[in-house]
Amino acid sequence: MEVQETKRLKHYNNKQKILLVGEGDFSFSLSLARAFGSATNLIATSLDSQAELERNYKNGKANVEELERLGCNVVFGVNVHSMTTKPNLGCSATHDRVIFNFPHAGFDYGREHEIKTIMRHQELVRGFMKSARLLVKDEDKGGEIHVVHKTEYPFSEWKLKTLGEKEGLELVSEIEFCLNHYPGYSNKRGSRGYNDSSFPVGKSSTFIFKKQFFY
């Protein structure tokens, strides 16, 4: 029996079952797939419908088609608050990694430093964490939840570590995030008519959470 070669890109490899949430034009998923030479271990999801993806992102359709050729399961219309009800995301607690890059509740709630805006963002992140906790493997089986997030004010006021604790997750590591580590990845605003525009990442980190054993 031929042993599969392990192919890696930063924290991820082709032997992990990876669920990606909140993809914009699916360029992050595609960056992983190209590095692995396959996407059979990936489930990539977006809140957008397929029609919205094609309307909002110039490379969206081509990225999804390439992902699917590489064996990725692409799922549209996935809301982080209710994603555990989606049967095509796999059974509970089967994913090695669940990833949400730059979560953002949108630009309709005020300025980023305002408390009401921060609370809307926190609500989104907590909803994701609550769902992801049910979909990721237990700590003793190596399951991790990754949130990529800006670390400077006002984004630091989201208090990801505290949000995780409230959802039974322990922050075990915080690692500097660099866009150039993921060839082809183009982060997207995804809202207010500027969906396909990128934004300055600035100082950002990958926040790595594991399930708390006693919760």
Side-chain angles (χ1 to χ4, degrees):
M1 182 178 177
E2 185 178 348
V3 178
Q4 183 185 23
E5 178 188 357
T6 301
K7 297 182 179 181
R8 303 180 184 276
L9 183 60
K10 293 304 290 179
H11 323 295
Y12 312 111
N13 68 64
N14 61 323
K15 294 184 179 179
Q16 296 165 338
K17 186 175 180 181
I18 301 173
L19 171 63
L20 300 110
V21 174
E23 285 287 86
D25 67 350
F26 287 87
S27 57
F28 186 82
S29 299
L30 187 55
S31 180
L32 297 184
R34 287 172 172 170
F36 302 158
S38 169
T40 56
N41 63 315
L42 305 180
I43 300 177
T45 76
S46 170
L47 179 62
D48 290 333
S49 66
Q50 186 169 357
E52 287 170 333
L53 170 87
E54 294 178 8
R55 182 168 63 247
N56 293 333
Y57 303 103
K58 64 180 180 181
N59 294 324
K61 185 173 186 289
N63 289 347
V64 166
E65 288 175 349
E66 184 174 348
L67 277 169
E68 290 180 333
R69 283 198 301 272
L70 289 167
C72 183
N73 180 9
V74 176
V75 186
F76 298 100
V78 175
N79 187 310
V80 298
H81 296 283
S82 59
M83 64 184 184
T84 56
T85 64
K86 289 274 189 178
N88 44 3
L89 297 193
C91 301
S92 296
T94 59
H95 299 281
D96 297 291
R97 301 288 182 269
V98 182
I99 306 168
F100 197 172
N101 291 333
F102 300 106
H104 198 279
F107 298 92
D108 301 324
Y109 307 111
R111 297 180 181 275
E112 294 289 358
H113 68 273
E114 294 176 357
I115 294 298
K116 65 176 182 179
T117 304
I118 291 170
M119 290 178 67
R120 291 303 294 261
H121 294 319
Q122 289 177 322
E123 179 184 352
L124 171 68
V125 174
R126 283 193 66 177
F128 163 72
M129 289 175 165
K130 185 186 294 290
S131 296
R133 192 180 190 281
L134 298 175
L135 294 168
V136 75
K137 289 180 179 178
D138 291 340
E139 180 184 5
D140 61 350
K141 295 180 180 177
E144 295 179 358
I145 295 168
H146 292 193
V147 181
V148 177
H149 183 57
K150 294 185 177 185
T151 55
E152 294 186 308
Y153 180 87
F155 304 97
S156 56
E157 295 302 300
W158 295 22
K159 308 292 186 187
L160 293 195
K161 181 176 185 292
T162 301
L163 297 182
E165 289 170 349
K166 290 178 179 178
E167 298 303 331
L169 302 175
E170 178 186 3
L171 179 64
V172 296
S173 186
E174 179 185 339
I175 302 171
E176 182 182 5
F177 177 85
C178 297
L179 270 177
N180 59 12
H181 289 164
Y182 300 92
Y185 173 43
S186 178
N187 59 307
K188 300 298 183 183
R189 284 173 60 90
S191 186
R192 195 191 273 176
Y194 297 96
N195 302 71
D196 210 18
S197 300
S198 295
F199 55 86
V201 168
K203 292 184 178 179
S204 299
S205 291
T206 300
F207 292 79
I208 299 176
F209 295 88
K210 291 188 176 183
K211 291 182 183 180
Q212 290 180 349
F213 189 71
F214 298 103
Y215 177 64

